[in-house]
Amino acid sequence: VPTVPQPSDNPTEPPTAEPTSTASPSTSLPTMPFEPTPQPTEPTARKTVSIIPYWGIQGIDTSEEPVFEYMAMTESAQAFGLETCRLMFNASVTSLATVEVESSCFLLEFQSWVQANFGASLPVTQERFAELAVLFQSDSDNDETLAGIDCTTGELLWMRAEIKTRIPDSVSSEEFLSWFQSWLDFVEERNSRSPPALGTMRLASWAWVRSVTESRIVTSTVIGCVIS
């Protein structure tokens, strides 16, 4: 029995036709020349190696307390330390691979603070440095993790820099150690000309510990395989 079409509730609106597809099932739609990259819900940053140059700490004793190396912030020590920080930040020293905008150094931070608050520049006398160091340490806006300062005497016990590099932390141990040698050479050259009052510049990096450990494991494994 033929069916009779039912009238629409809205007589002025034409009936809606069902969509039909003229493409065969095997026909593919045209694709874009590239797929759009999904936007991350949170900002992500590429993880890279950080290097921590530091002065004033010789090591750790048996009770896990730091062993300090005597430092005297004479004018020559201040000047040489500032020069060293600037060289570490210098983009033209490509072998160090420093990312300046993400790095910090105590003496540069201290210099900027002194200029902003007192209109002075380093170097200053050793006595004045101690006075300013106490004030710097008491300023809550300053990064207290970049130096250890005796708040009574103003004596600088240790100081450090934190250098962000362009080296990915996923780099192989062999590549890392080859690049890290540039830092070791830089430190050796600076220490050879450093005033005794500044003490010895040393380096720390978790990536260095990891790379040395991995290299030793690989070496011992190879030796073990040869012996067996």
Side-chain angles (χ1 to χ4, degrees), residues 171-179 211 214-215:
V171 69
S172 70
S173 298
E174 183 179 357
E175 291 175 311
F176 174 82
L177 293 173
S178 175
W179 164 77
S211 296
E214 288 180 0
S215 296

Side-chain angles (χ1 to χ4, degrees), residues 2-227:
T3 58
V4 179
Q6 296 299 316
S8 170
D9 293 336
N10 185 356
T12 62
E13 180 180 349
T16 303
E18 293 293 331
T20 59
S21 173
T22 58
S24 64
S26 61
T27 304
S28 60
L29 296 176
T31 58
M32 298 175 63
F34 63 91
E35 292 296 329
T37 303
Q39 295 300 314
T41 55
E42 295 182 1
T44 57
R46 185 172 65 109
K47 292 184 178 180
T48 59
V49 173
S50 291
I51 301 292
I52 301 178
Y54 64 95
W55 295 259
I57 300 178
Q58 290 180 323
I60 299 176
D61 62 18
T62 55
S63 61
E64 298 188 354
E65 293 294 325
V67 178
F68 296 113
E69 178 182 31
Y70 175 73
M71 294 173 62
M73 294 311 291
T74 61
E75 293 184 44
S76 61
Q78 296 169 47
F80 191 86
L82 280 169
E83 181 184 66
T84 301
C85 288
R86 293 190 182 106
L87 285 173
M88 289 191 293
F89 281 24
N90 193 337
S92 65
V93 186
T94 54
S95 60
L96 300 183
T98 299
V99 179
E100 181 178 354
V101 294
E102 298 182 44
S103 301
S104 56
C105 180
F106 167 71
L107 281 178
L108 291 178
E109 299 282 334
F110 186 58
Q111 160 102 311
S112 298
W113 180 84
V114 170
Q115 288 177 332
N117 289 275
F118 300 94
S121 296
L122 300 183
V124 294
T125 65
Q126 188 173 344
E127 293 75 15
R128 182 56 175 161
F129 185 97
E131 294 172 359
L132 293 171
V134 172
L135 296 174
F136 178 87
Q137 191 77 344
S138 63
D139 190 333
S140 59
D141 291 334
N142 295 324
D143 187 349
E144 297 180 354
T145 67
L146 290 176
I149 300 171
D150 186 316
C151 293
T152 303
T153 64
E155 179 186 0
L156 186 64
L157 303 175
W158 57 268
M159 64 178 180
R160 72 181 180 95
E162 184 159 353
I163 307 298
K164 187 78 169 177
T165 76
R166 296 188 298 274
I167 306 301
D169 66 355
S170 58
V171 69
S172 70
S173 298
E174 183 179 357
E175 291 175 311
F176 174 82
L177 293 173
S178 175
W179 164 77
F180 194 68
Q181 186 61 46
S182 299
W183 271 97
L184 295 176
D185 294 341
F186 173 80
V187 170
E188 182 179 6
E189 189 276 332
R190 297 308 291 172
N191 281 335
S192 68
R193 300 195 294 112
S194 175
L198 185 58
T200 303
M201 178 184 180
R202 296 176 174 87
L203 290 178
S205 173
W206 282 114
W208 161 255
V209 175
R210 183 204 68 192
S211 296
V212 170
T213 302
E214 288 180 0
S215 296
R216 288 177 177 171
I217 290 173
V218 170
T219 304
S220 62
T221 302
V222 170
I223 293 174
C225 291
V226 171
I227 292 175

